[in-house]
Amino acid sequence: MFLETPIARFELKFDAEGRNNGGYRNDITVYRRARVVESFDLPTDEGTIIGGTGTAPYPLAYFASGLTGCLMTHLRSFAKRLNMPTTDFAVTTRCHWAAQQAEQVLYESKPLSFTMDIEIGGDVSDDEKRRLIAASSRACFVEQSMKPGLVKHRLKSGEAWIDLDE
Amino acid sequence: MFLETPIARFELKFDAEGRNNGGYRNDITVYRRARVVESFDLPTDEGTIIGGTGTAPYPLAYFASGLTGCLMTHLRSFAKRLNMPTTDFAVTTRCHWAAQQAEQVLYESKPLSFTMDIEIGGDVSDDEKRRLIAASSRACFVEQSMKPGLVKHRLKSGEAWIDLDE
């Protein structure tokens, strides 16, 4: 999917198969459905503080890594495609949700904000970095699956942060 | 967050800190920001077939597990809260995306469909299972962050599958 040679259109399929036998641990295996199928064991659990057994990461920890990693992979892929002489990247994503009581013992949840703070190293102008981030955001499979406008991006410029979504 | 004792409102914060030094591997650590901070090393990589080094799961594999695990955890938590005598759960999520060429060497992506096939064991009626799934879906932090209507759910009833979003 990140071949250096662009193709006009392609599709991606990932299937997750989860099993739960009573507690908060979910045994989940994810399959990448392609000519060669690859699989990954990615179980989830809750921490002991909140009733889980702490044997695996939280589901939201996986989500946060998936969102961050998907954008970062596109930054790297597209920097190569655009021949931008980037060096290191650092991306910090802050995911923030709220939950509110609904029915007597249940709650409903909503996302509050997702901000991605992006630092890009190398002899590249801020304008080029902005172009790289915008293109990567439009290509990021996770971000494009989320509510429009929810994910915000900031670019480090010298010692300052530039808001990119205003 | 999944305490048996409901509280009126609460918030969740997860931060991901990612670093990339040149290839497709992203070293990502996720922090759960709470009174006691927990951290998880969740690096991502691309497969060798597509230019990565295959040292870690794909970002989208984490995403698929996070989405699936978040719903499953709510199914378990809410079944307990509602005193439903559920036993085992199995959830299979199929995530499907497309990417299409945009600028000359770049592409844009979009989600096509996310379907969650849910089996719930135990002496519980289909109506109760539907109520459990609907409530869990409204509480699932990942699903509530996604484009409305994108995630579809099906319930196994005997040998048949019931579409729950029609």
Side-chain angles (χ1 to χ4, degrees), chain A residues 89-156:
Chain A
F89 303 144
V91 176
T92 297
T93 306
R94 288 186 296 280
C95 306
H96 192 178
W97 290 272
Q100 187 149 350
Q101 194 167 322
E103 298 176 67
Q104 194 180 357
V105 295
L106 306 181
Y107 59 80
E108 295 181 355
S109 70
K110 65 175 180 185
L112 294 179
S113 65
F114 299 86
T115 60
M116 305 187 84
D117 286 351
I118 302 164
E119 296 177 67
I120 296 175
D123 185 18
V124 181
S125 71
D126 280 357
D127 277 352
E128 287 176 295
K129 290 178 184 176
R130 293 171 78 127
R131 181 184 171 208
L132 176 62
I133 294 168
S136 299
S137 165
R138 287 192 296 269
C140 174
F141 298 97
V142 177
E143 198 180 319
Q144 292 304 317
S145 304
M146 294 174 68
K147 283 182 173 162
L150 192 56
V151 181
K152 305 286 189 189
H153 310 82
R154 300 200 305 171
L155 171 65
K156 188 84 175 276

Side-chain angles (χ1 to χ4, degrees), chain A residues 1-4 6-24 26 28 30 32 36 38 40 42 44 46-47 49-50 56-66 68-70 72-74 76-78 80-82 87-101 103-112 114 131 135 138-142 144-148 150, chain B residues 1-4 6-24 26 28 30 32 36 38 40 42 44 46-47 49-50 56-66 68-70 72-74 76-78 80-82 87-101 103-112 114 131 135 138-142 144-148 150:
Chain A
M1 71 185 126
F2 297 107
L3 293 169
E4 306 294 307
I7 50 177
R9 187 179 190 282
F10 64 91
E11 296 187 9
L12 288 179
K13 291 182 180 179
F14 283 78
D15 297 344
E17 294 184 4
R19 300 214 150 255
N20 179 300
N21 301 314
Y24 287 126
N26 300 308
I28 298 176
V30 180
R32 176 169 184 256
V36 178
E38 298 169 271
F40 303 90
L42 297 172
T44 74
E46 297 297 301
I49 302 169
I50 50 187
Y58 293 95
L60 296 182
Y62 285 136
F63 171 82
S65 176
T68 306
C70 191
M72 293 183 79
T73 301
H74 282 93
R76 180 59 67 198
S77 171
F78 284 6
K80 286 179 196 279
R81 291 181 182 206
L82 295 168
T87 53
D88 294 1
F89 303 144
V91 176
T92 297
T93 306
R94 288 186 296 280
C95 306
H96 192 178
W97 290 272
Q100 187 149 350
Q101 194 167 322
E103 298 176 67
Q104 194 180 357
V105 295
L106 306 181
Y107 59 80
E108 295 181 355
S109 70
K110 65 175 180 185
L112 294 179
F114 299 86
R131 181 184 171 208
R138 287 192 296 269
C140 174
F141 298 97
V142 177
Q144 292 304 317
S145 304
M146 294 174 68
K147 283 182 173 162
L150 192 56
Chain B
M1 73 184 125
F2 297 108
L3 292 170
E4 306 294 307
I7 50 177
R9 189 179 189 281
F10 63 92
E11 295 187 10
L12 288 179
K13 291 182 180 180
F14 283 78
D15 296 345
E17 294 184 4
R19 300 213 151 257
N20 179 300
N21 301 315
Y24 287 125
N26 300 307
I28 299 176
V30 179
R32 175 168 185 257
V36 178
E38 298 169 90
F40 303 90
L42 297 173
T44 74
E46 296 298 300
I49 303 169
I50 50 188
Y58 294 94
L60 297 182
Y62 284 135
F63 170 82
S65 176
T68 306
C70 191
M72 293 183 78
T73 301
H74 282 92
R76 179 60 67 198
S77 172
F78 285 5
K80 287 180 196 277
R81 291 181 182 208
L82 296 168
T87 54
D88 294 1
F89 303 145
V91 176
T92 296
T93 305
R94 288 186 296 280
C95 306
H96 192 178
W97 291 272
Q100 187 149 351
Q101 194 167 323
E103 297 176 66
Q104 194 178 357
V105 296
L106 306 181
Y107 60 81
E108 296 181 356
S109 71
K110 65 175 180 184
L112 295 179
F114 299 86
R131 182 187 170 204
R138 287 192 296 269
C140 174
F141 298 98
V142 177
Q144 291 305 317
S145 305
M146 294 174 68
K147 284 183 173 159
L150 193 56

